[in-house]
Amino acid sequence: MLTLTNFWRTLKRTYSLIMVPVSTRVLKCDPSAIHFHTDIDKPKITCPETLSALKIATHHLVNLSEPVAFPTETVYGLGAMALSTSASKRIFTTKGRPADNPLIVHVSSHAMLNSLLPDDYVLSEAYRALIKHFWPGALTLLFPRNPEIVPTIITAGHSSVAIRMPSHPVARALIAVANVPLAAPSANSSGKPSPTRAEHVLQDLDGKISIILDGGACEVGLESTVIDGLHDDGKLRILRPGGITVESIRRTLEKEIHDSNEIPDVLVHRRDYADEEVELAPTTPGMKYRHYAPSVPLTLLMTNSPPPARESTISISQLFGSLRTSQLLKIGILAPTDSALWDVLPSDGFEWYRYPLGPAAEPAVYAHRLFHGLITLEREGVNLMFIEEVKEDREGLAVMNRVRKAAGDVRWIADKW
């Protein structure tokens, strides 16, 4: 039997042999020209250019078994037919993605969801409430895998499969027109910041994929929230925080489940509980490997949180003073718009590239701008970057999840502004 390790080695060898440059086309799509009605699974598309782009993308997906990049409300995805092992392999080779990193399956309708699940599976009350409020949207749920339908390459050999229904009109329309569920991680080389615009995808994957559907900037800017509700204790475990906040999930459960004794606990991985087994063999993307990292060093500045025991602190002046060299240093800074950090940046010896991330009190804006900021500063040619922490509530929980994975270093700042 081909193990995941051997499979990954085979993929890399195959990639080096058959991955030849292709001509990449960017096709414009107008999201406002796509309309779904609640009782109809197929969309109405009023723009001929958009319909043509979707048909071209469908041809590459279905007839050529090629991956296609497309926008979602979270980040741009690199999609391939989820029920085809050979098509899904192209995702791994294009991204350089480890084989033990599962993929999320995207569907366009409840009927498509049901077609993937075991015949005897019944949705829990909690899942029904979450689907009612957050689908289509930035929420991924773990379901039992139907081994007769979903290939093992999608789940990295696990007995569960991650599924969501995207709300971006272009993403949902592409799935509906192709009439196949799509496996789709972020449309970038593995480990890099996730793309939130078509230009980000082109910059990274130009010559590696044939089609990029351009549906504008992503609304959320961070990947979906992933929930595992399959445990016998009935608790909902958030494996990856994302576009749907913990607070909104809890509010929804309290609203929809009238018996307070039946409302499940909502636990966040690494904050509320630990699970070494799932970290070593993750059931969903974004848990095991370093992700979202720019090509230059990124340091996280903890300016408000108290340092853990035995962790030393440093003043801002000491930190920046330690960086001075005989040559001008180009440094990128990402921080809240209203941060005091902007006022203490030394002028001599440094060339600063500022990228405000939005007000500290509005973490949704911070989330929307995060990946674009990292990619923008990288493109500016900075030598290194610093990013200031944000409070870990609402979307800030997902922001800090991404930043911690992207940063190669964390410094605890002694200054109290």
Side-chain angles (χ1 to χ4, degrees):
M1 179 178 290
L2 186 65
T3 66
L4 286 175
T5 300
N6 289 334
F7 171 61
W8 175 233
R9 289 172 180 164
T10 301
L11 280 180
K12 289 196 290 185
R13 287 197 299 267
T14 303
Y15 176 84
S16 63
L17 290 173
I18 68 170
M19 198 66 183
V20 295
V22 299
S23 176
T24 301
R25 288 193 290 169
V26 179
L27 305 178
K28 289 281 188 179
C29 290
D30 181 4
S32 67
I34 301 171
H35 307 280
F36 278 89
H37 300 284
T38 54
D39 57 342
I40 301 176
D41 292 339
K42 295 293 184 181
K44 180 180 180 181
I45 302 169
T46 58
C47 171
E49 182 184 11
T50 298
L51 180 59
S52 174
L54 290 169
K55 288 182 175 179
I56 292 171
T58 294
H59 171 69
H60 282 265
L61 284 167
V62 177
N63 300 112
L64 303 180
S65 295
E66 292 180 358
V68 166
F70 61 94
T72 78
E73 70 280 16
T74 57
V75 300
Y76 271 72
L78 183 65
M81 290 189 295
L83 306 187
S84 166
T85 297
S86 59
S88 297
K89 281 182 180 179
R90 302 283 292 272
I91 294 174
F92 289 88
T93 56
T94 300
K95 284 176 60 72
R97 182 183 180 90
D100 62 349
N101 199 1
L103 300 173
I104 293 174
V105 177
H106 296 65
V107 299
S108 61
S109 66
H110 295 284
M112 187 176 288
L113 166 69
N114 292 332
S115 73
L116 300 175
L117 304 180
D119 293 336
D120 60 350
Y121 175 70
V122 178
L123 291 175
S124 67
E125 188 176 8
Y127 267 24
R128 290 198 302 270
L130 295 175
I131 288 173
K132 174 182 175 182
H133 279 262
F134 299 118
W135 277 25
L139 180 69
T140 296
L141 299 172
L142 260 59
F143 296 91
R145 169 179 168 258
N146 186 337
E148 297 179 359
I149 296 176
V150 180
T152 56
I153 188 175
I154 299 297
T155 66
H158 289 284
S159 60
S160 60
V161 57
I163 303 176
R164 85 176 184 98
M165 185 190 299
S167 63
H168 195 292
V170 174
R172 194 176 172 198
L174 176 63
I175 300 166
V177 171
N179 197 31
V180 292
L182 297 182
S186 55
N188 59 303
S189 298
S190 188
K192 289 188 176 182
S194 299
T196 58
R197 305 179 184 212
E199 65 193 67
H200 297 165
V201 182
L202 184 63
Q203 179 183 335
D204 186 8
L205 299 183
D206 187 17
K208 294 183 179 180
I209 57 176
S210 297
I211 301 296
I212 301 171
L213 296 182
D214 183 357
C218 300
E219 180 182 359
V220 176
L222 292 179
E223 295 83 357
S224 63
T225 301
V226 180
I227 292 181
D228 179 359
L230 299 180
H231 291 256
D232 292 337
D233 60 11
K235 295 178 181 180
L236 299 182
R237 290 165 170 82
I238 295 182
L239 303 180
R240 181 182 73 183
I244 304 298
T245 67
V246 178
E247 293 86 350
S248 61
I249 290 168
R250 286 181 172 144
R251 282 195 301 269
T252 294
L253 295 172
E254 290 168 1
K255 176 182 177 182
E256 292 293 326
I257 301 177
H258 302 297
D259 185 347
S260 60
N261 294 321
E262 297 297 322
I263 299 174
D265 292 334
V266 180
L267 308 176
V268 179
H269 179 244
R270 288 195 174 180
R271 188 190 75 178
D272 302 324
Y273 75 99
D275 190 334
E276 184 176 347
E277 182 179 344
V278 81
E279 290 181 17
L280 293 174
T283 54
T284 188
M287 297 188 70
K288 183 177 180 179
Y289 296 96
R290 188 181 179 196
H291 289 73
Y292 323 118
S295 59
V296 300
L298 173 68
T299 298
L300 170 59
L301 301 179
M302 304 298 285
T303 56
N304 294 304
S305 301
R310 300 186 182 88
E311 190 70 49
S312 61
T313 62
I314 189 172
S315 70
I316 281 291
S317 59
Q318 288 176 317
L319 176 62
F320 292 145
S322 68
L323 300 174
R324 280 196 170 88
T325 66
S326 58
Q327 296 182 332
L328 188 68
L329 199 60
K330 300 166 68 173
I331 303 179
I333 293 282
L334 303 99
T337 309
D338 46 359
S339 171
L341 188 61
W342 305 114
D343 299 326
V344 296
L345 301 179
S347 56
D348 37 308
F350 304 106
E351 184 178 351
W352 297 100
Y353 290 77
R354 295 168 170 81
Y355 193 92
L357 288 167
E362 298 181 30
V365 179
Y366 209 106
H368 175 73
R369 292 176 59 80
L370 174 62
F371 287 140
H372 183 56
L374 292 173
I375 294 171
T376 297
L377 292 177
E378 186 177 54
R379 196 161 46 194
E380 293 283 352
V382 300
N383 303 114
L384 66 157
M385 300 182 202
F386 291 97
I387 185 167
E388 187 176 10
E389 69 168 319
V390 66
K391 188 176 179 181
E392 294 190 53
D393 61 7
R394 296 174 288 162
E395 292 85 0
L397 179 67
V399 168
M400 290 301 290
N401 171 272
R402 305 310 191 272
V403 170
R404 284 194 173 94
K405 288 183 179 293
D409 192 18
V410 180
R411 304 304 297 268
W412 301 85
I413 305 303
D415 307 74
K416 300 301 178 186
W417 299 312

